[in-house]
Amino acid sequence: MAKNVFFFGDGPPEGDPKRRDLLGGKGAGLAEMSALGLPVPPGFTIATNVCVDFAVSKRIPDGVRSEIDLAVARLERRSALASETRARPSS
């Protein structure tokens, strides 16, 4: 099955910034900024074909929900780590 969810902002982006057809304009822009090492808050982009399918069928295609759940869990882990770091007083 093809990849449908692309993480960015936490290391190299998973999506190719040149693939506007796959990531959409905003997703490609975020992937490009992330690839350049610019500070981009972590997040993920859902492939444009999934968005089109959802607009037509009003349901998330089979298999995509698990990819979204993994991306959300990755964001939650990263947010928890960031919160712990901010909560610790510096010496």
Side-chain angles (χ1 to χ4, degrees):
M1 176 171 66
K3 186 167 182 61
N4 293 295
V5 178
F6 303 90
F7 208 86
F8 59 83
D10 186 20
E14 293 179 348
D16 180 352
K18 295 180 177 103
R19 294 290 313 271
R20 284 189 165 335
D21 61 314
L22 180 65
L23 301 176
K26 289 179 186 174
L30 288 163
E32 182 173 15
M33 289 186 289
S34 185
L36 291 170
L38 296 172
V40 176
F44 58 90
T45 301
I46 299 173
T48 55
N49 62 305
V50 172
C51 296
V52 169
D53 288 349
F54 181 81
V56 171
S57 68
K58 304 297 185 239
R59 60 181 284 283
I60 297 172
D62 294 339
V64 176
R65 171 60 68 188
S66 61
E67 287 185 71
I68 294 170
D69 290 344
L70 289 171
V72 169
R74 185 173 173 182
L75 273 176
E76 289 172 341
R77 282 192 306 276
R78 182 142 188 329
S79 295
L81 291 174
S83 294
E84 288 176 19
T85 301
R86 284 192 299 270
R88 287 190 199 126
S90 55
S91 330

